[in-house]
Amino acid sequence: MPELPEVEFASRVLRKAVVGKTVRDVKVLHRSQRRGLPPRDVARVRGASISGIERRGKHQLISLSTGDTLIVHFRMTGDWLVDVSANPTPEYARIVLETDDGTRVSLVDPRALSAVTLSRAGEASLPDLGPDAADPTIDVTVVERALARRRIAIKLALLDQRLLAGVGNIYAAEALWTARIDPRAIASSLTRARCARLLDAVRTVLEKAARWTGRYRENGAGRFEVYDREGLPCSRCGARIRRIVQGGRSTYFCPRCQRR
DNA sequence: CGTATCCTGACC
DNA sequence: GGTCAGGATACG
């Protein structure tokens, strides 16, 4: 699942492939994408040149010479595939961008849940996002304040992009394991010291993931401490990793060394 | 706060 | 052929 490190990697791939080029054609190949990017918006993209690529949380922002911005979210299974337009259309390609030099960038997404929308010049249509989890300038106080009023489980708070942008289900679980915090702990009850440990853990986990992502895209075995490891021993204390459901999603944690 | 929705591959 | 997974959003 693409979270901040994977989206950062993908945005670099995209930047290298298309920045400075002109969009020759845009194809929307799946009906679920037509809702977010209807024909009138596709028409606005054709012929524009791409001036830059940025990332905010898990969103990628493709700036166009027209002032419009394409906003891309991979959701669960989206990714970029870069090749040339002479090749056959890649499997699971949902939206295809072709540039004037023959480069083709396909949004490949087996589950077709990715979201691509066009934001018109001047209207910022990103959802309300908290500070970027990779922002080195955020400090403990930022985390402490974000959690102070939230009487929800800390795992759910970490997934709330309005509080901190970029963390998803996998790295939330990994960060809580690293910080030795029980995912069921109430967010507002965390002490300043635990907030500091959590911020540190989020950074550690995201940096580690970025190093993996740089090498290969696939999830390597043994990459995670708790995620998808139900019943297996905790590498720190040996207790069996548990799986619970929070907010409809799986949470994996060590019931012995992660405390409330 | 929980639950349904979007989608389709994977798995039973 | 039914169920599940899951990020974000909408709704009760």
Side-chain angles (χ1 to χ4, degrees):
Chain A
M1 279 136 272
E3 301 184 24
L4 190 152
E6 293 81 14
V7 175
E8 175 63 28
F9 186 87
S11 67
R12 286 182 197 174
V13 167
L14 184 65
R15 191 175 296 128
K16 205 171 169 186
V18 301
V19 166
K21 299 178 184 175
T22 299
V23 180
R24 184 170 66 193
D25 199 12
V26 180
K27 294 181 181 115
V28 180
L29 304 176
H30 193 283
R31 63 188 154 78
S32 73
Q33 302 299 343
R34 229 172 296 275
R35 280 194 292 273
L37 201 65
R40 66 175 177 280
D41 286 346
V42 169
R44 288 175 71 95
V45 179
R46 286 202 182 104
S49 60
I50 298 171
S51 47
I53 312 290
E54 286 176 90
R55 181 192 59 75
R56 298 244 201 293
K58 303 177 206 171
H59 303 261
Q60 293 171 81
L61 282 65
I62 306 175
S63 301
L64 304 176
S65 53
T66 55
D68 292 350
T69 307
L70 272 171
I71 300 177
V72 179
H73 194 297
F74 283 161
R75 297 279 174 87
M76 316 282 302
T77 50
D79 201 1
W80 297 120
L81 190 152
V82 179
D83 65 350
V84 293
S85 46
N87 286 355
T89 306
E91 193 177 16
Y92 306 128
R94 307 308 188 191
I95 289 184
V96 173
L97 293 174
E98 287 172 16
T99 52
D100 50 6
D101 66 340
T103 300
R104 178 176 64 188
V105 174
S106 304
L107 171 57
V108 290
D109 181 4
R111 296 206 175 151
L113 288 175
S114 288
V116 178
T117 54
L118 186 70
S119 172
R120 274 141 210 263
E123 49 173 81
S125 71
L126 270 183
D128 180 21
L129 294 177
D132 196 272
D135 182 346
T137 69
I138 60 178
D139 65 354
V140 203
T141 307
V142 173
V143 176
E144 207 177 13
R145 282 186 187 152
L147 300 179
R149 301 171 306 119
R150 307 309 306 259
R151 287 148 77 110
I152 55 173
I154 183 61
K155 162 77 177 334
L156 295 177
L158 281 175
L159 293 182
D160 188 339
Q161 304 297 301
R162 294 170 299 184
L163 301 183
L164 189 67
V167 177
N169 202 41
I170 295 176
Y171 300 131
E174 296 294 299
L176 288 167
W177 180 85
T178 303
R180 302 184 189 233
I181 296 169
D182 189 310
R184 299 164 295 186
I186 300 303
S188 58
S189 75
L190 294 198
T191 59
R192 187 176 168 85
R194 298 188 102 203
C195 289
R197 257 199 291 154
L198 183 55
L199 176 59
D200 212 47
V202 166
R203 288 185 167 137
T204 302
V205 163
L206 294 182
E207 279 164 21
K208 190 176 160 195
R211 288 197 295 275
W212 274 88
T213 305
R215 262 176 266 157
Y216 23 94
R217 317 297 314 274
E218 309 303 317
N219 288 349
R223 200 180 147 179
F224 304 126
E225 296 288 355
V226 287
Y227 183 77
D228 205 21
R229 293 196 70 235
E230 184 179 15
L232 296 172
C234 170
S235 70
R236 209 163 36 203
C237 76
R240 282 174 184 278
I241 302 301
R242 271 191 68 192
R243 185 185 86 98
I244 57 173
V245 174
Q246 291 180 290
R249 328 245 269 288
S250 293
T251 298
Y252 299 89
F253 70 107
C254 174
R256 188 187 292 161
C257 62
Q258 288 179 251
R259 301 217 288 259
R260 293 220 202 209

